């Protein structure tokens, strides 16, 4: 298999042979043996293809065992950078981990050097450059012959290419998921001689069933003496000579059929029909026109303030298209834009996250087809302010914060971080006539000044499980009393698993000690990645207190101790004072 001026290959993905609960190793070996006999040329595996970390490398070992008894020479692609603690999938792109993982994979496969080694997933805790340099060193050291990246976007590929040669990219690609084509990633790879490995090319078991019901796929399957799944594989390979599809068969029959389908050549008419069915957006036959038509695409992270900005365009006569109002997918929204422009609309605004090139491409395509200018406005709200906006939205809709299980359908605390990790800033080469940034003003709060104190280690000490044993820290009572004369005094505390009754008992004890009632708000959720809006440094408790006491957060002080308290104050819009500097005076 070549990696400079790539040639295509007949491939199979092997994950399901090792990760399924009802794993049948004898059947997996038989499927692999049949695939070798049928002419498979590339096998895709990973050290994480196992039930959990205790059997790391199971799939690699299975492949090595079967290949050892075969005279066939195939390319083996394996991946590192995902761990499986208790069966979960957790990214680890650190250089030390990748170096050890690649050598362990090489030894399991029983080869002098791995044919192609990929970073399995970008680790949000590790700079991509660190992971890429680790891969390049493995290639320089002869541990692997070629390197690549899995599950990336064009922006990340460009970052990697600035550091070293990338030989292959593995992404999800199926007729039901064509982001890699729309974003330009496949074209970018073809131009650079980078192999494109397409995993889940049939869209998983649900995609296979969907294909079996698709009239066009059924018709073309009959015409080409194959199956609907076979048509999908043949079409994907026809999109670019760089593409290698990686179906994941679990039986001898499906393995042989998948290999034969990858050797099938569709006629021109079939390819045109499939492109119209899956790739085209909108009517496709609208004549361009000269006009003053303009499409404004408002992009930004969840709760950045896009809706508020869009309303200003509506007030100026723009037609607004928004998925929250209309439902459906972003592609459906692009088709609605096509309908609007075809129906005579000259000014349209779309406001959704639009964080990737792939999500923006259909809007640009349709605007261009209608001769409309297309402008991108990025609502560039800092993540802390967007978090506060998300909390305000919850308070407006529900009157309070929600438990983690109740956040379904709402913006959860991880949504903005996921957006930031995956975001590709708009670029001129996408086809925009103009791009600009907009930073909305922070939402105004109440009228009263306040002081919000963190309790643990600052106000009290003792065992909170025994309220009667709690004692105040020296100087705390006097400081709080001084503030209470002119400010609303409230408090926050983290008590995983605590009930409302337990917190009420703690608040009563605190009031008895200081001589006046203090509103105590708490987070009862466990440690780890935040699943709620009330865990510091997220701003939920501060905004709840502001609403309860009419606090002007810009005139409110948070007294805390450590980065989480400082982050909480910043996100909520409060001033911050570290208790290490002593108690502040009013």
């Amino acid at each position: 298999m070549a990696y400079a001026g790539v040639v295509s290959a007949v491939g199979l993905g092997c994950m399901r042979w090792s990760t399924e609960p009802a794993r049948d190793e004898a059947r997996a070996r038989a499927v692999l043996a049949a695939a070798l006999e049928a002419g498979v040329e590339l096998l895709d595996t990973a050290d994480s293809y196992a039930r959990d970390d205790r059997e790391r490398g199971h799939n690699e070992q299975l492949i090595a065992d079967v290949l050892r008894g075969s005279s066939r020479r195939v390319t083996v692609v394996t991946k590192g950078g995902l761990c499986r603690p208790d069966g979960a999938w957790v990214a680890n792109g650190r250089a030390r981990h990748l170096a050890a993982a690649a050598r362990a994979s090489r030894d399991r496969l029983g080869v002098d050097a791995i044919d192609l080694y990929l970073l399995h997933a970008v680790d949000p805790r590790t700079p991509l450059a660190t992971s890429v340099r680790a891969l390049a060193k493995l290639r320089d050291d002869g541990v692997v012959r070629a390197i690549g990246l899995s599950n990336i976007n064009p922006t990340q590929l460009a970052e990697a290419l600035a550091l070293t040669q990338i030989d292959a990219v593995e992404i999800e690609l199926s007729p039901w998921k064509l982001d890699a084509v729309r974003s330009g990633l496949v074209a970018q790879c073809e131009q650079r001689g980078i192999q494109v490995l397409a995993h889940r090319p049939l869209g998983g078991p649900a995609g296979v069933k969907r294909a079996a019901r698709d009239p066009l796929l059924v018709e073309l399957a009959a015409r080409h003496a194959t199956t609907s799944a076979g048509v999908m594989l043949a079409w994907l390979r026809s999109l670019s000579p760089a593409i290698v599809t990686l179906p994941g068969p679990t039986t001898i029959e499906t393995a042989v059929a998948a290999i034969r389908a990858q050797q099938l050549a569709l006629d021109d008419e079939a390819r045109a029909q499939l492109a119209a069915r899956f790739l085209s957006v909108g009517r496709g036959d609208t004549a361009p026109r000269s006009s003053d038509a303009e499409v404004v695409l408002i992009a930004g992270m969840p709760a950045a303030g896009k809706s508020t900005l869009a309303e200003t365009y509506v007030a100026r006569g723009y037609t607004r298209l928004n998925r929250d109002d209309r439902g459906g997918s972003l592609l459906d929204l692009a088709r609605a834009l096509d309908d609007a422009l075809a129906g005579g609309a000259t000014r349209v605004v779309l406001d959704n996250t639009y964080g990737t090139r792939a999500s923006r491409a259909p809007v640009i395509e349709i605007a261009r087809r209608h001769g409309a200018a297309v402008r991108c406005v990025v609502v560039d709200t800092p993540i802390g302010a967007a978090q506060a906006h998300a909390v305000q939205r919850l308070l407006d809709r529900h009157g309070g914060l929600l438990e983690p299980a109740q956040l379904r359908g709402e913006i959860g605390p991880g949504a903005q971080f996921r957006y930031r990790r995956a975001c590709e800033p708009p670029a001129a080469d996408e086809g925009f006539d103009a791009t600009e940034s907009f930073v909305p003003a922070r939402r105004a709060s109440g009228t009263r000044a306040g002081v919000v104190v963190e309790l643990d280690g600052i106000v009290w000490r003792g065992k909170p499980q025994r309220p009667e044993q709690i004692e105040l820290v020296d100087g705390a009572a006097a400081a709080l009393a001084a503030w209470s004369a002119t400010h609303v005094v409230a408090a926050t505390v983290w008590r995983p698993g605590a009930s409302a009754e337990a917190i009420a008992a703690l608040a009563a004890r605190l009031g008895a000690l200081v001589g006046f009632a203090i509103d105590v708000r708490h987070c009862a959720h466990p440690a780890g990645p935040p699943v709620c809006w009330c865990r510091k440094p997220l701003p939920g408790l501060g905004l709840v207190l502001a609403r309860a006491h009419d606090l002007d957060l810009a005139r409110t002080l948070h007294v805390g101790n450590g980065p989480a308290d400082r982050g909480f104050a910043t996100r909520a819009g409060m001033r911050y004072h570290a208790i290490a500097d002593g108690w502040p005076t009013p």
Side-chain angles (χ1 to χ4, degrees):
M1 180 176 182
Y3 290 100
V6 294
V7 296
S8 196
V10 175
L12 288 181
C14 307
M15 181 183 77
R16 295 172 64 192
W17 300 346
S18 295
T19 56
E20 289 188 337
R23 186 170 65 200
D24 185 338
E25 290 192 23
R27 184 179 67 178
R29 293 170 188 273
V31 172
L32 179 51
L36 292 170
E37 185 176 347
V40 71
E41 298 169 312
L42 180 146
L43 297 172
D44 177 76
T45 183
D47 64 356
S48 59
Y49 289 172
R51 286 172 176 160
D52 55 38
D53 271 338
R54 292 171 295 181
E55 53 175 45
R56 174 170 292 275
H58 179 277
N59 199 253
E60 292 173 326
Q61 190 64 60
L62 186 152
I63 290 171
D65 291 346
V66 176
L67 290 181
R68 198 175 295 116
S70 172
S71 60
R72 285 289 314 284
R73 173 71 176 96
V74 300
T75 296
V76 177
V77 180
T78 192
K79 302 181 284 292
L82 273 183
C83 299
R84 299 299 310 281
D86 299 321
W89 300 85
V90 179
N92 185 346
R94 292 178 296 176
R96 181 178 298 179
H97 173 79
L98 292 173
R103 287 172 170 82
S105 291
R106 178 194 59 184
D107 294 343
R108 279 190 292 267
L109 292 170
V111 295
D112 295 330
I114 295 170
D115 293 325
L116 173 59
Y117 191 70
L118 308 180
L119 175 68
H120 204 155
V122 176
D123 181 355
R125 299 165 299 179
T126 303
L128 178 59
T130 298
S131 301
V132 170
R133 289 191 180 101
L135 294 179
K137 188 174 189 308
L138 287 167
R139 185 173 55 195
D140 293 343
D141 291 346
V143 179
V144 307
R145 293 189 177 91
I147 62 171
L149 304 169
S150 185
N151 302 308
I152 61 163
N153 59 42
T155 302
Q156 292 166 326
L157 177 58
E159 179 184 349
L161 286 169
L163 300 172
T164 189
Q165 174 189 341
I166 297 299
D167 303 299
V169 164
E170 183 168 334
I171 41 83
E172 183 176 355
L173 182 64
S174 77
W176 323 115
K177 187 173 180 60
L178 292 165
D179 287 359
V181 176
R182 293 192 172 97
S183 69
L185 178 61
V186 170
Q188 183 182 3
C189 288
E190 184 178 333
Q191 292 163 5
R192 299 293 294 260
I194 298 171
Q195 199 81 60
V196 177
L197 305 177
H199 70 81
R200 284 178 59 87
L202 304 178
V208 173
K209 293 178 182 178
R210 184 177 178 184
R213 300 189 301 268
D214 188 283
L216 176 60
L217 291 174
V218 171
E219 175 193 336
L220 294 178
R223 187 194 307 173
H224 290 83
T226 185
T227 63
S228 295
V231 172
M232 290 198 292
L233 293 175
W235 180 63
L236 289 175
R237 287 169 60 87
S238 76
L239 295 177
S240 169
I243 293 175
V244 174
T245 52
L246 301 173
T250 56
T251 67
I252 292 174
E253 293 75 20
T254 54
V256 172
I259 291 169
R260 289 175 179 168
Q262 294 178 72
Q263 298 164 336
L264 173 67
L266 298 173
D267 57 49
D268 292 343
E269 182 183 1
R271 290 197 299 273
Q273 288 177 291
L274 290 164
R277 167 74 175 83
F278 294 110
L279 265 178
S280 296
V281 180
R283 295 174 174 79
D285 58 354
T286 305
R289 55 181 178 165
S290 298
S291 71
D292 59 353
E294 181 186 55
V295 173
V296 176
L297 185 151
I298 299 178
M301 71 172 57
K306 300 182 296 296
S307 297
T308 302
L309 179 59
E311 289 168 359
T312 68
Y313 282 90
V314 172
R316 291 155 52 190
Y318 284 71
T319 299
R320 183 186 181 197
L321 300 177
N322 178 276
R323 191 169 59 170
D324 291 342
D325 297 334
R326 304 173 67 95
S329 67
L330 289 180
L331 277 178
D332 293 330
L333 209 63
R335 294 184 179 107
L337 171 64
D338 192 28
D339 291 339
L341 293 174
T346 58
R347 295 190 294 177
V348 183
V349 60
L350 301 92
D351 57 306
N352 292 277
T353 53
Y354 289 118
T356 64
R357 295 174 68 103
S359 66
R360 299 187 289 262
V363 174
I364 298 168
E365 175 188 337
I366 286 174
R368 288 297 183 209
R369 189 185 304 151
H370 286 275
V374 57
R375 180 160 54 96
C376 182
V377 180
V378 179
V379 182
D380 201 12
T381 305
I383 190 169
Q387 289 170 339
H389 190 188
V391 172
Q392 294 283 17
R393 184 180 299 181
L394 281 180
L395 298 180
D396 290 343
R397 291 178 178 177
H398 304 283
L401 301 180
L402 300 180
E403 288 298 309
Q406 299 172 314
L407 283 172
R408 185 177 180 86
E410 300 286 353
I411 297 172
Q416 289 145 333
F417 291 111
R418 289 192 295 271
Y419 172 90
R420 191 166 64 174
R421 288 196 297 268
C423 179
E424 298 176 86
D429 66 353
E430 293 181 62
F432 291 113
D433 291 284
T435 60
E436 60 191 75
S437 294
F438 173 78
V439 180
R442 183 180 281 269
R443 179 172 169 176
S445 49
T447 61
R448 304 173 70 190
V451 59
V452 178
V453 295
E454 173 63 28
L455 293 175
D456 285 338
I458 296 176
V459 173
W460 65 24
R461 56 175 174 260
K463 297 181 179 179
Q465 298 83 356
R466 304 286 298 275
E468 69 278 6
Q469 295 185 6
I470 288 177
E471 298 178 353
L472 292 183
V473 173
D474 292 345
L480 293 176
W483 278 101
S484 69
T486 55
H487 290 67
V488 175
V489 177
T492 57
V493 68
W494 180 40
R495 283 292 173 268
S499 65
E501 292 76 16
I503 296 299
L506 290 171
R509 171 65 175 168
L510 176 63
L513 290 172
V514 301
F516 60 93
I518 295 179
D519 187 353
V520 177
R521 302 293 173 129
H522 76 292
C523 172
H525 304 108
V531 294
C532 60
W533 282 111
C534 51
R535 240 267 301 290
K536 289 181 175 180
L538 298 178
L541 296 182
L543 297 172
V544 166
L545 286 168
R547 185 162 296 211
H549 299 284
D550 189 33
L551 295 181
D552 178 356
L553 290 171
R555 296 168 54 216
T556 296
L557 179 70
H558 180 51
V559 181
N561 183 21
D565 290 335
R566 183 182 294 276
F568 165 71
T570 300
R571 287 164 169 81
M574 296 183 286
R575 295 176 292 121
Y576 177 71
H577 179 86
I579 194 62
D581 298 328
W583 274 99
T585 56

